[in-house]
Amino acid sequence: GSTRDIVVALRRPPGATATVTVTVGDPAVATVTPAQVTFTDLDWNIPQLLTLAGTRDGNLVNDRTELRFTLDGAETVVREVETVDTRVP
């Protein structure tokens, strides 16, 4: 499938090294790499690049799933994404 770059940054300095883990609600719809990014007090506001890739399926129906961004297992932000099917594999 096609890919889209997305970025992640923190809203405030973490106070210590912090890891954001990114998971996809339905891996049959999309994948994200890398699955983790790390921030420190020196780079907390510098966006880090992730790549979201749609997976190929056997239909022309657009699919939806969620991306979950979890900061050190505590705070989670959820965003819905839609993949647009343009051709049958």
Side-chain angles (χ1 to χ4, degrees):
S2 61
T3 62
R4 170 90 39 168
D5 290 335
I6 57 177
V7 293
V8 176
L10 301 181
R11 293 182 183 167
R12 59 187 171 276
T17 300
T19 301
V20 175
T21 301
V22 185
T23 56
V24 178
D26 185 352
V29 172
T31 60
V32 65
T33 52
Q36 291 186 327
V37 290
T38 302
F39 295 93
T40 68
D41 282 343
L42 299 175
D43 67 2
W44 62 274
N45 60 342
I46 299 171
Q48 294 199 35
L49 185 67
L50 304 172
T51 301
L52 178 65
T55 56
R56 288 188 176 201
D57 58 20
N59 62 54
L60 286 173
V61 177
N62 295 345
D63 297 302
R64 292 179 182 267
T65 191
E66 294 178 341
L67 291 181
R68 295 182 187 98
F69 301 85
T70 304
L71 179 60
D72 285 335
E75 181 181 347
T76 299
V77 173
V78 179
R79 295 291 182 255
E80 186 173 303
V81 295
E82 180 178 21
T83 60
V84 178
D85 286 357
T86 56
R87 62 186 161 132
V88 176

